[in-house]
Amino acid sequence: MDEEFLFTEYNEVILKNKVATSEEYLKTSRVGRSKRIGRKDKLEVWNLVKEYQKRKAPNFSKYEVCNLLATYFDSKDEKPFSHLICDEIQDFTNIELRLMRALVPEKSNDLFLVGDPFQNIYNRKVNFSASGINIRGRRSRKLKINYRTTEEIKRLAVATISKEKFDDFNGGIETSKGYVSLMHGNDPRYEVFSTPEQEDAFVADAIEGILKDHSVSPSNICVCSRTNRGVDQIKRLLNLKDWKYLDLSSSKVGKEAIRVSSFHNLKGHEFKFLIVTGVSKDQVPYKHPGFAFYDDKEKSEYIKQEKSLYYVVFTRAIQRLLITGVGEKTEWFR
């Protein structure tokens, strides 16, 4: 049992279920965990947990604080807030949802929670019922109309995750059936090249072509890559062309500058023109050094997360989506 396994076991089993004793831990369900462990292993884990809690006192992790606060406010008749609004709910955990429930008295229009199961890039296992949040009956709605992207871009994004199964936040399976965009435009374009230099030249030509339309601000254009190394390559290209750019990870504000970003930093943004670089058979999915040590289930979950990440990236494009790479095209969205 390595560090990562113990870390996730503590968060996703012990803290998630508010386990307080070894007896509770032995009875707690571990459904969804990739590795099965027996009674002897569980007792060993519990001894480590008790030693960990002893050594770290009085320091607390975020999830430990969430549990403490939820327990405190559950015992109070008077809650600190009347209503609560939360977006990007797919990025939260049941532990955090339980705290949200405890912060607001249960009544009509108490919680307004919005999320997209297909954007679950952190492999969160969200379940409203398990968090004490009731969405039965007409208390939940599925939003099927896309106001951001064109139908053509939406179609490619959905195709990327279409073979995977996603939880609907309450134990069911989410579906993209009936999901439509109101706008239409050009089909996304996917081009691969023999060398990185050819890819750079194509990207530069594409940016120049977009900027010829003087009604387009450079800030309407974003060039992104899956890795930090890819982002650095984009910056080198823009420097060679003497184009101003702004990294989305920076706190600086530059109105007339091309945006540059890693995939993860794109969340919460949208651009009229999006160029996605470094997309090829050899690079998709991106495999970090620890991937080789995953078992089959862990690899499957990781690939599902990567597909969700590409879904997020593609849906950042409003009008045009351009995808480039070096080598062969990936099978994910040919």
Side-chain angles (χ1 to χ4, degrees), residues 2 24 114 122 135 139 146 149 181 193 195 262 313 324 329:
D2 58 21
E24 290 179 2
V114 185
Y122 301 115
I135 62 167
R139 301 192 70 178
N146 181 350
T149 66
S181 294
F193 305 90
T195 67
S262 66
V313 170
T324 67
K329 290 185 176 181

Side-chain angles (χ1 to χ4, degrees), residues 89 103 124 217:
I89 204 72
L103 292 174
R124 304 294 197 220
S217 167

Side-chain angles (χ1 to χ4, degrees), residues 61-221:
S61 70
K62 179 179 72 172
Y63 294 148
E64 289 170 332
V65 171
C66 285
N67 272 348
L68 288 170
L69 287 170
T71 299
Y72 174 79
F73 286 116
D74 278 339
S75 67
K76 302 293 181 181
D77 293 331
E78 188 173 337
K79 308 296 184 182
F81 303 105
S82 299
H83 306 275
L84 187 148
I85 300 173
C86 184
D87 194 12
E88 305 288 358
I89 204 72
Q90 74 279 349
D91 294 339
F92 286 74
T93 64
N94 284 345
I95 296 171
E96 293 160 313
L97 289 178
R98 190 161 55 223
L99 173 57
M100 292 182 201
R101 176 65 282 171
L103 292 174
V104 180
E106 190 165 356
K107 59 181 185 298
S108 178
N109 296 322
D110 48 2
L111 301 173
F112 187 84
L113 311 177
V114 185
D116 183 351
F118 299 140
Q119 293 190 38
N120 191 350
I121 65 176
Y122 301 115
N123 196 26
R124 304 294 197 220
K125 307 295 184 184
V126 177
N127 188 295
F128 288 138
S129 296
S131 305
I133 298 173
N134 176 22
I135 62 167
R136 291 190 298 272
R138 296 180 59 82
R139 301 192 70 178
S140 65
R141 298 287 188 280
K142 181 175 179 179
L143 307 179
K144 297 182 179 181
I145 299 177
N146 181 350
Y147 295 93
R148 175 191 287 145
T149 66
T150 65
E151 175 66 18
E152 290 74 17
I153 293 173
K154 183 274 298 181
R155 199 175 295 141
L156 175 66
V158 170
T160 304
I161 47 89
S162 61
K163 295 182 180 179
E164 302 290 343
K165 291 184 178 180
F166 292 85
D167 191 274
D168 66 354
F169 299 152
N170 214 44
I173 301 299
E174 182 63 21
T175 173
S176 62
K177 187 177 181 181
Y179 182 36
V180 298
S181 294
L182 297 182
M183 302 182 294
H184 283 274
N186 296 325
D187 286 328
R189 186 176 176 184
Y190 183 17
E191 299 286 347
V192 292
F193 305 90
S194 300
T195 67
E197 291 75 18
Q198 290 176 340
E199 181 184 21
D200 285 349
F202 181 82
V203 170
D205 288 344
I207 294 174
E208 285 180 347
I210 295 170
L211 291 175
K212 284 180 180 178
D213 183 347
H214 296 296
S215 66
V216 176
S217 167
S219 62
N220 295 147
I221 305 170

Side-chain angles (χ1 to χ4, degrees), residues 6 9-10 14 19 25 42-56:
L6 292 169
E9 183 76 7
Y10 185 61
I14 294 172
V19 175
Y25 182 44
K42 279 192 171 185
L43 291 174
E44 184 178 349
V45 170
W46 188 254
N47 288 334
L48 285 169
V49 166
K50 298 306 294 180
E51 182 66 17
Y52 163 71
Q53 291 175 337
K54 176 183 174 182
R55 293 195 185 192
K56 76 176 181 62

Side-chain angles (χ1 to χ4, degrees), residues 29-45:
S29 170
R30 299 180 66 258
V31 173
R33 297 289 283 141
S34 59
K35 295 179 181 178
R36 297 177 63 182
I37 57 175
R39 179 184 177 88
K40 182 179 178 181
D41 294 321
K42 279 192 171 185
L43 291 174
E44 184 178 349
V45 170

